[in-house]
Amino acid sequence: METKKITRILFVCLGNICRSPAAEAMLRMVVEREGLADRVVIDSAGTYGGHAGERSDVRMRRAAAARGIEMPHLARQVRETDFDKFDMLIAMDDNNYEALFRLAPDRAAQQKIYRFREFLRHNPDWSYIPDPYYEGHEGFELVLDLLEDGCATIVEQLR
Ligand code: 4NP
């Protein structure tokens, strides 16, 4: 009998109320649509714990809902044990990447860290997912556009 490999993916941003919970919800929507939901475990966390326990930013939730994506996630801070629980920790920007690198307990853990930009195919001008927290509506739309691009690549790699 064929055993299906399960890939455990943790998206990481700063506050875990905008970018990474949107990435989590976006990837979940795509894997469900593609019939691959049983092949992944998806979660998100923030390098900063100040919003822990909170729902995602209402502006991010509204922008996602307009694309048919629900975001029920409650924020939490990333922790060292996440390197045991996940195969890929995908950072939204270089600051998140460096914070994860400092948290990683060893070399094997460091090798699990990726930048979201590695999965962008159609947005070569973006080397990170810009923080929308202090931005207007367009900032949230841009985040979702970039997440759509990268999540499509991630799903391709799961096949
Ligand atoms: P996120 O956005 O990292 O995409 O969740 C932010 C959320 C909160 C803050 C910064 C960015 N903050 O400074 O509280």
Side-chain angles (χ1 to χ4, degrees):
M1 202 178 84
E2 187 193 350
T3 51
K4 290 179 180 169
K5 184 181 180 317
I6 294 178
T7 305
R8 302 163 300 168
I9 299 172
L10 183 71
F11 291 108
V12 178
C13 62
L14 176 61
N16 192 216
I17 55 172
C18 297
R19 293 166 291 174
S20 64
E24 174 193 344
M26 173 81 70
L27 184 61
R28 188 165 289 125
M29 190 267 287
V30 178
V31 296
E32 282 172 7
R33 191 180 66 202
E34 302 290 323
L36 295 168
D38 58 347
R39 297 276 303 281
V40 278
V41 171
I42 311 167
D43 194 8
S44 65
T47 59
Y48 165 66
H51 292 282
E54 293 179 17
R55 291 207 64 187
S56 301
D57 188 298
V58 66
R59 298 166 296 171
M60 191 78 255
R61 279 191 277 137
R62 284 198 185 121
R67 299 188 191 204
I69 301 168
E70 295 304 316
M71 293 178 56
H73 182 78
L74 298 180
R76 72 170 178 89
Q77 189 168 18
V78 66
R79 38 190 180 254
E80 196 180 312
T81 51
D82 285 319
F83 287 97
D84 299 324
K85 293 187 177 144
F86 294 92
D87 304 302
M88 303 172 75
L89 291 84
I90 304 179
M92 293 292 140
D93 65 32
D94 286 348
N95 287 332
N96 313 147
Y97 183 91
E98 282 156 23
L100 283 176
F101 211 82
R102 287 192 293 273
L103 184 65
D106 55 32
R107 180 104 186 96
Q110 287 172 351
Q111 287 174 339
K112 293 182 172 185
I113 309 171
Y114 297 79
R115 289 178 173 88
F116 195 88
R117 73 155 182 248
E118 295 171 47
F119 304 98
L120 294 178
R121 290 289 175 271
H122 304 292
N123 293 278
D125 293 344
W126 285 100
S127 60
Y128 60 98
I129 307 302
D131 185 347
Y133 193 65
Y134 297 105
E135 301 292 329
H137 181 69
E138 313 75 49
F140 293 88
E141 295 300 329
L142 172 61
V143 166
L144 291 171
D145 289 344
L146 295 173
L147 294 179
E148 264 177 21
D149 181 359
C151 285
T153 309
I154 293 169
V155 167
E156 277 308 308
Q157 294 185 2
L158 291 172
R159 286 186 193 284

